[in-house]
Amino acid sequence: MPMRTRVFAAVLRRVSTPVEEAEDFAKLRADRSKLQTSAIGRRVFGSLDKGAEVEEISWGADRRALVYRPKDSIAPLPCVVNFHGGGWVQGNPEQSGWLASRVAVRNNVVVISPAYRLAPEDRFPAGIEDARDAVEWVVKNAEDLGINPERIAVMGDSAGGNLAAVVALLARDAGGPEIRAQVLIYPGVEMYDKWPSELRNAEAPVLTSRNMNAFARLYLGEQYGTEDFRASPIRAESHADLPKAFILTAELDPLLDNGAHYRDALVAAGVPVRYAEYKGAIHGFMSLPGVSPPAKQALDDVVGFLAQAL
């Protein structure tokens, strides 16, 4: 693990409240947002690409989204709908700004990062319903957004990777909207089974095994134990005919095997998959470019994949 990542992990353990110990989730989210906008937070989470324009819009039932597009771009452009992580409990579209703005500029696309309802106030399937509705809203409003509705990809990290994977399954089953590609960044695809990477990295920085269990229980609530694929996309009856995928995982992440097993499921179903495991990387590293050197290589890889897929 790089030294700057070690220092960050040590500080994080001292100053953060584990989700399993939290009681006031509004405060937990507010503290996270405050950190993001602080001087230290900007260095950790990274800054926006200077070549990107950012606009906040409203969509659906008073939801909000951040829209990133290259400056002086000419519409219509391909579109990537990006879902933030945070265990379905915390997080916000702003935390993906470093990645989203760079994908927008380097791929000459529009990246739309929608907010979605969070648990425990709004439990499963509220988050996935919002994610599905966001993609459908983007396609229906393509002209106003300056995008090409036939060139859509979904992307997400951690819980957002779960949402992106489920949206791709739902769109396939519903016969649309057409999704050309899915970028799944250390996705959580299984709610219950403990695979070796979770045992090996049970006390890893950013995400521990106890965190994972708490997030799942907060998200699912009384439905904890459901085998609904909308909670655990790896449990879908079929993974055939899904969009081509790029799955990114981190060596020191409890969720590593989630990504690897989902790769295997997609490959077995005949879906084209690119897979990469980033050495020395921790969970959340794509939102932490200031303290996780592998983020830059992973960004290059995402840009390269989308250039071919879209």
Side-chain angles (χ1 to χ4, degrees), residues 29 32-33 36-37 41 44-48 64 66 68 82-101 113 116 118 157-160 186 283-289:
R29 296 173 197 134
R32 184 185 180 99
S33 296
Q36 287 173 219
T37 57
V44 170
F45 291 97
S47 58
L48 301 181
R64 70 183 186 97
L66 296 180
Y68 304 85
N82 175 67
F83 303 106
H84 69 78
W88 309 278
V89 171
Q90 57 191 11
N92 52 56
E94 284 80 3
Q95 73 189 40
S96 302
W98 179 84
L99 171 63
S101 62
S113 295
Y116 53 88
L118 299 173
D157 64 294
S158 193
Y186 31 85
H283 185 78
F285 77 97
M286 287 294 280
S287 296
L288 305 168

Side-chain angles (χ1 to χ4, degrees), residues 17-308:
T17 300
V19 67
E20 62 269 21
E21 298 177 13
E23 297 180 356
D24 187 339
F25 293 97
K27 183 178 185 301
L28 190 71
R29 296 173 197 134
D31 289 345
R32 184 185 180 99
S33 296
K34 184 177 180 180
L35 172 62
Q36 287 173 219
T37 57
S38 69
I40 293 176
R42 288 193 295 272
R43 295 190 65 175
V44 170
F45 291 97
S47 58
L48 301 181
D49 192 294
K50 294 180 180 179
E53 296 178 341
V54 186
E55 176 187 12
E56 181 170 320
I57 64 171
S58 295
W59 70 273
D62 298 322
R63 302 279 177 258
R64 70 183 186 97
L66 296 180
V67 180
Y68 304 85
R69 66 179 75 241
K71 292 180 179 178
D72 302 320
S73 59
I74 299 176
L77 296 178
C79 179
V80 178
V81 183
N82 175 67
F83 303 106
H84 69 78
W88 309 278
V89 171
Q90 57 191 11
N92 52 56
E94 284 80 3
Q95 73 189 40
S96 302
W98 179 84
L99 171 63
S101 62
R102 281 161 178 77
V103 167
V105 171
R106 293 178 57 178
N107 285 110
N108 195 37
V109 302
V110 175
V111 178
I112 300 178
S113 295
Y116 53 88
R117 285 173 289 172
L118 299 173
E121 297 90 339
D122 293 290
R123 300 186 191 272
F124 172 83
I128 185 57
E129 289 174 348
D130 284 355
R132 177 204 61 205
D133 291 350
V135 173
E136 292 179 352
W137 182 89
V138 164
V139 171
K140 290 178 182 177
N141 292 273
E143 185 174 355
D144 291 340
L145 293 167
I147 65 169
N148 182 341
E150 296 180 357
R151 300 177 69 186
I152 302 288
V154 291
M155 178 169 70
D157 64 294
S158 193
N162 168 285
L163 297 180
V166 175
V167 165
L169 284 159
L170 292 173
R172 178 203 63 184
D173 294 347
E178 179 185 355
I179 295 175
R180 284 200 177 189
Q182 50 184 327
V183 179
L184 310 179
I185 304 171
Y186 31 85
V189 299
E190 165 56 48
M191 286 291 177
Y192 316 111
D193 290 346
K194 284 192 176 184
W195 289 319
S197 66
E198 182 178 349
L199 302 176
R200 188 171 63 249
N201 298 308
E203 298 298 329
V206 178
L207 183 69
T208 67
S209 178
R210 288 191 300 275
N211 296 159
M212 289 171 61
N213 181 63
F215 281 131
R217 290 183 178 275
L218 286 165
Y219 179 45
L220 296 177
E222 293 182 355
Q223 295 189 67
Y224 187 84
T226 180
E227 296 188 5
D228 191 328
F229 77 88
R230 295 176 301 165
S232 300
I234 200 164
R235 294 175 182 253
E237 289 186 7
S238 171
H239 294 91
D241 303 317
L242 286 171
K244 64 185 66 174
F246 182 23
I247 301 175
L248 297 78
T249 58
E251 178 190 12
L252 306 175
D253 185 355
L255 282 177
L256 168 61
D257 287 344
N258 271 242
H261 281 293
Y262 204 61
R263 169 203 61 197
D264 295 344
L266 295 187
V267 169
V271 177
V273 179
R274 178 175 178 180
Y275 177 83
E277 176 188 327
Y278 295 88
K279 302 300 181 184
I282 60 174
H283 185 78
F285 77 97
M286 287 294 280
S287 296
L288 305 168
V291 295
S292 188
K296 293 183 179 179
Q297 179 59 58
L299 170 64
D300 290 343
D301 294 341
V302 170
V303 168
F305 171 78
L306 288 173
Q308 296 180 341

